Amino acid sequence: MGIAALVTWLITAVGGFVMLGTWISHGGHRPGSGSRLAPGLVFGHFALAVVGLVLWIAYLAVDNDVLAWVAFVALLPVALLGFTMLARWIPARRSGTAESRFPVPVVIGHGLFAAATLVLAALAALGVGGR
C-alpha cells in the first residue's frame, strides 16, 4: 500500500510539474495579468507536497509509522490548497491568464491521482496492506 501511494504521488507530481511549468512559462501572477492563482498559494501547495513526498520516501526507507502519519498529515493542507486552486481555476479556464492554459486532462488527472494518493497514504498509515 505504501509503494502504491508512492507511485500515485509521483504521477500526481508529474501533473503538478506540468501545470507549474505552464503557469510560470506563461507569466504566472504578473501584476495586471488577471491570474487568480497567487504565488503563495501555488508555491505553498508545491512545497508542502514535496515535503510530504520526502517524508513518505523516508517512511518507506526506514519503516517508521510516525513518518507515515506525518507525511499523511502534510497531505491534508496540500489537498485544501489544491481544492482552492481548482475553485479559482474553473472560472478562469477561458480568461487568457497563465492558468487558463493548463491542459484540462492534466488538471483532472492530477486531481484524481491526488485523491488516490490521499486514500492510499491513509490506508498505509493505518497498516492496511503492508508497506
Side-chain angles (χ1 to χ4, degrees):
M1 198 66 63
I3 298 297
L6 176 63
V7 169
T8 59
W9 207 322
L10 291 171
I11 293 168
T12 303
V14 168
F17 280 122
V18 167
M19 289 186 289
L20 180 62
T22 300
W23 188 73
I24 291 169
S25 69
H26 287 94
H29 188 78
R30 289 184 322 252
S33 69
S35 177
R36 298 176 55 98
L37 301 181
L41 178 63
V42 173
F43 292 110
H45 177 76
F46 171 76
L48 283 171
V50 169
V51 167
L53 178 58
V54 168
L55 289 168
W56 194 258
I57 292 168
Y59 152 67
L60 292 174
V62 301
D63 194 23
N64 182 327
D65 291 340
V66 172
L67 285 173
W69 282 108
V70 172
F72 172 73
V73 168
L75 272 180
L76 298 177
V78 172
L80 290 173
L81 293 172
F83 280 121
T84 301
M85 287 190 292
L86 177 64
R88 291 181 180 184
W89 172 78
I90 290 171
R93 283 185 343 188
R94 292 180 175 87
S95 65
T97 60
E99 60 269 19
S100 70
R101 292 181 170 78
F102 293 165
V104 173
V106 173
V107 173
I108 292 169
H110 181 75
L112 292 175
F113 277 99
T117 300
L118 193 64
V119 170
L120 291 170
L123 291 173
L126 289 167
V128 175
R131 282 191 329 152

